[in-house]
């Protein structure tokens, strides 16, 4: 039999990859806790939670057992006209934990579809109330909301999608007041963003549907963080103007920011929230778009015209719902939320040690996420230091994947102090090598 790598190179097309120049992919045969084991006997520390989805560590037995059990009774059933206990119970458990007022759970399959649903819900919310002139959305520069067409439109501020511009609809962009440790300008940046919002409301307020934002942390843009105060001011202004606020918590949900949700940490309740990545503890693709009762009510009526015309083959897949319920159980069994301040403290400690390196700029930490910018001539997602650092980390058994010149850690919550220390030591060594080059 041909090796997996040879077969892979023959028939597989990988995401976000230039297949001609990318090195061979690494074959993983086993994952346990924070460790990934390769086919050729090496071990990686998964310090990015396998693209931000893993929560409790790989192969957590509680989640694995719940999926196996569910698979023996009900693996899948149509969700229009039918229902099942895992979906209903999960909706109830999520509503209990979300900010009060978010009470209607719509299921789909991944972060992008959760965003598509949110955009359609928001647009039709107005349409159903005779305000079909409301067709505009506002998003943030740097914002990323997924790779499907609507999500690309909302995410045009991230710069990945210029090729597909002709497919996307128009979205206005506000500056994102990204901040970091010891940032003296943060309030000025926030004021500038709010002033821009004010301008937009004056010009287009009566055709605006809503604003979509990654609350507290823009992930793909390079772990750019903002203050809760900014989100509070944004929400207050939108509420006064009667404009909908959509939180894309696909990445920030389930503990990443130190609280179960960024909306809880920021003490802001949006009208619609999108959750995915950590929802099933990284086991299965599943997402939810959760709306307020006011939004749900706007879809009620005698005719189908008023209904939300959206659904996927695997809507509310029972295996995914069982995994998500088990993950919430692990949060309780292991008191996971109580572990997160410890991870944050370790980040702060080790990042402070790095911060004296003149190549390190804009250190920032929130909850389980730490990041900094590497000072370099070509900054941004296509920066040449990204691939160089990635190769350096891979050779030393760290799964770290810089976003251009931004180095970040986003570990599963089972990470130990020794593992983080090892990671930061390797990052320091990488910086030393960069500095000598
Ligand atoms: C990853 C991500 C998405 C897209 O989720 P997929 O499951 O990859 O489709 C959307 N929004 C944010 C903030 C994300 O980080």
């Amino acid at each position: 039999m041909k090796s997996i790598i040879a077969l892979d190179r023959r028939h597989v097309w990988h995401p976000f990859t230039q297949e001609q120049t990318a090195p061979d992919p690494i074959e993983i045969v086993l994952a346990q806790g924070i460790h990934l084991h390769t086919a050729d006997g090496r071990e990686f520390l998964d310090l990015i939670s396998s693209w931000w989805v893993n929560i409790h560590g790989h192969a957590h037995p509680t989640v694995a057992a719940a999926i196996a059990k569910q698979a023996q009774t009900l693996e899948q059933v149509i969700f229009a006209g039918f229902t099942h206990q895992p979906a209903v119970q999960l909706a109830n458990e999520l509503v209990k934990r979300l900010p009060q007022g978010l009470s209607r759970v719509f299921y789909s399959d991944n972060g992008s579809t959760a965003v598509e649903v949110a955009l359609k819900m928001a647009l039709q919310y107005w349409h159903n109330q005779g305000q079909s002139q409301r067709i505009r959305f506002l998003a943030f520069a740097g914002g990323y909301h997924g790779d499907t067409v609507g999500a690309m439109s909302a995410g045009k501020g991230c710069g990945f999608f210029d090729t597909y511009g002709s497919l996307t609809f128009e979205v206005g962009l506000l500056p994102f007041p990204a901040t970091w440790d010891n940032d003296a300008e943060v309030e000025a940046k926030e004021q500038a963003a709010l002033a821009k919002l004010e301008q937009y409301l004056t010009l287009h307020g009566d055709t605006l549907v809503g604003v979509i934002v990654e609350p507290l942390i823009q992930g793909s843009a390079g772990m750019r963080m903002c203050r809760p105060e900014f989100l509070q001011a944004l929400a207050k202004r939108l509420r006064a103007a009667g404009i909908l606020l959509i939180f894309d918590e696909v990445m920030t949900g389930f503990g990443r920011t130190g609280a179960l949700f960024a909306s809880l940490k920021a003490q802001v309740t949006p009208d619609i929230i999108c959750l995915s990545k950590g929802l099933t503890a990284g086991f299965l693709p599943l997402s939810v778009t959760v709306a307020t009762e006011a939004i749900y009510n706007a879809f009620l009526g005698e005719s189908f015209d008023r209904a939300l015309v959206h659904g996927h083959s695997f809507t509310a897949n029972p295996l995914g719902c069982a995994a998500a319920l088990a993950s919430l159980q692990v949060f309780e069994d292991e008191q996971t939320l109580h572990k997160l301040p410890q991870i944050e403290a370790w980040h702060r400690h080790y990042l402070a040690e790095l911060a004296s390196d003149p190549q390190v700029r804009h250190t920032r930490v929130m909850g389980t996420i730490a990041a900094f910018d590497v000072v370099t001539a070509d900054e941004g997602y296509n920066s040449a230091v990204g691939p160089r650092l990635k190769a350096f980390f891979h050779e030393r058994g760290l799964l770290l994947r810089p976003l251009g010149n931004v180095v970040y850690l986003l570990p599963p919550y089972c990470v130990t102090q020794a593992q983080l220390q090892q990671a930061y030591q390797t990052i320091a060594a990488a910086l030393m090598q960069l500095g000598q080059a």
Side-chain angles (χ1 to χ4, degrees):
M1 200 182 99
K2 278 217 169 110
S3 82
I4 291 296
I5 301 301
L7 280 175
D8 176 291
R9 301 247 66 169
R10 194 171 178 87
H11 291 301
V12 178
W13 194 341
H14 289 268
F16 273 91
T17 301
Q18 174 43 265
E19 297 272 354
Q20 182 166 318
T21 54
D24 280 343
I26 298 162
E27 186 190 349
I28 300 299
V29 290
L30 179 76
Q32 290 275 315
I34 197 172
H35 293 104
L36 304 175
H37 300 270
T38 70
D40 58 5
R42 289 176 298 146
E43 207 177 81
F44 277 83
L45 283 184
D46 183 356
L47 292 160
I48 61 162
S49 299
S50 284
W51 247 357
W52 317 349
V53 299
N54 195 277
I55 292 281
H56 308 295
H58 290 275
H60 194 291
T62 304
V63 184
I67 295 170
K69 183 159 175 241
Q70 185 61 44
Q72 286 158 11
T73 50
L74 175 66
E75 86 298 346
Q76 170 63 18
V77 66
I78 178 173
F79 205 61
F82 291 81
T83 196
H84 48 81
Q85 196 230 336
V88 174
Q89 199 186 336
L90 177 58
N92 275 275
E93 293 299 325
L94 289 173
V95 168
K96 269 194 232 166
R97 290 164 173 82
L98 282 164
Q100 202 172 4
L102 292 165
S103 54
R104 287 287 169 175
V105 179
F106 191 96
Y107 285 101
S108 62
D109 305 341
N110 57 65
S112 304
T113 57
V115 168
E116 299 287 341
V117 170
L119 299 173
K120 286 171 71 173
M121 257 181 198
L123 182 95
Q124 193 176 351
Y125 165 79
W126 291 115
H127 180 94
N128 284 356
Q129 299 178 94
Q131 295 212 40
S132 48
Q133 87 286 359
R134 291 197 183 266
I135 52 168
R136 292 173 197 270
F137 286 89
L138 260 180
F140 282 84
Y144 172 84
H145 301 289
D147 296 342
T148 53
V149 174
M152 284 199 299
S153 306
K156 66 175 48 162
C158 77
F160 290 149
F161 305 129
D162 295 347
T163 312
Y164 314 109
S166 61
L167 294 176
T168 59
F169 55 82
E170 204 185 301
V171 170
L173 292 179
L174 299 174
F176 186 78
T179 190
W180 42 81
D181 298 338
N182 309 313
D183 177 12
E185 300 311 43
V186 59
E187 278 165 23
K189 286 183 277 189
E190 290 172 355
Q191 288 313 316
L194 293 169
K196 197 83 191 193
L197 170 66
E198 215 54 56
Q199 266 177 19
Y200 199 90
L201 288 175
T202 306
L203 280 176
H204 300 303
D206 51 359
T207 55
L208 189 57
V209 172
V211 176
I212 183 165
V213 63
E214 294 165 85
L216 294 181
I217 309 178
Q218 286 189 326
S220 299
M223 301 299 154
R224 302 208 305 164
M225 302 181 183
C226 76
R227 300 194 307 166
E229 288 87 336
F230 174 69
L231 295 175
Q232 289 160 8
L234 174 73
K236 190 168 163 207
R237 185 61 190 98
L238 294 178
R239 195 129 304 153
I243 307 294
L244 298 178
L245 177 59
I246 303 169
F247 272 5
D248 177 353
E249 287 222 40
V250 168
M251 187 282 280
T252 54
F254 301 99
R256 280 295 157 205
T257 65
L260 192 58
F261 301 108
S263 41
L264 291 174
K265 186 171 180 116
Q267 298 185 291
V268 175
T269 303
D271 300 288
I272 302 177
I273 195 168
C274 306
L275 305 172
S276 185
K277 295 199 166 110
L279 173 61
T280 63
F283 274 69
L284 287 165
L286 184 75
S287 62
V288 292
T289 307
V290 188
T292 59
E293 213 60 15
I295 290 182
Y296 177 77
N297 286 337
F299 288 75
L300 303 179
E302 294 299 322
S303 90
F304 183 72
D305 295 350
R306 292 178 69 85
L308 180 62
V309 185
H310 196 102
H312 296 279
S313 312
F314 286 97
T315 298
N317 173 254
L319 302 180
C321 294
L325 282 166
S327 176
L328 293 176
Q329 187 61 50
V330 176
F331 266 98
E332 282 173 26
D333 294 347
E334 301 185 358
Q335 291 291 292
T336 305
L337 288 179
H338 295 290
K339 289 197 273 191
L340 306 184
Q342 180 66 80
I343 297 175
E344 176 162 347
W346 291 333
H347 276 316
R348 287 194 190 284
H349 175 76
Y350 294 119
L351 200 54
E353 288 180 356
L354 277 188
S356 57
D357 186 321
Q359 297 174 99
V360 173
R361 197 179 57 189
H362 298 170
T363 56
R364 48 202 186 265
V365 177
M366 193 181 294
T368 66
I369 303 177
F372 65 89
D373 301 355
V374 177
V375 177
T376 168
D378 64 329
E379 304 201 342
Y381 189 77
N382 292 320
S383 170
V385 301
R388 280 181 60 194
L389 288 169
K390 187 168 85 172
F392 187 95
F393 298 139
H394 278 188
E395 281 160 25
R396 287 155 185 82
L398 298 188
L399 172 46
L400 282 172
R401 202 170 184 278
L403 291 156
N405 66 313
V406 176
V407 175
Y408 73 94
L409 297 99
L410 192 152
Y413 309 154
C414 62
V415 70
T416 65
Q417 181 172 10
Q419 289 159 349
L420 275 186
Q421 184 178 28
Q422 181 192 340
Y424 278 97
Q425 280 169 353
T426 307
I427 291 169
L431 290 171
M432 188 164 332
Q433 200 191 59
L434 268 188
Q436 286 162 354

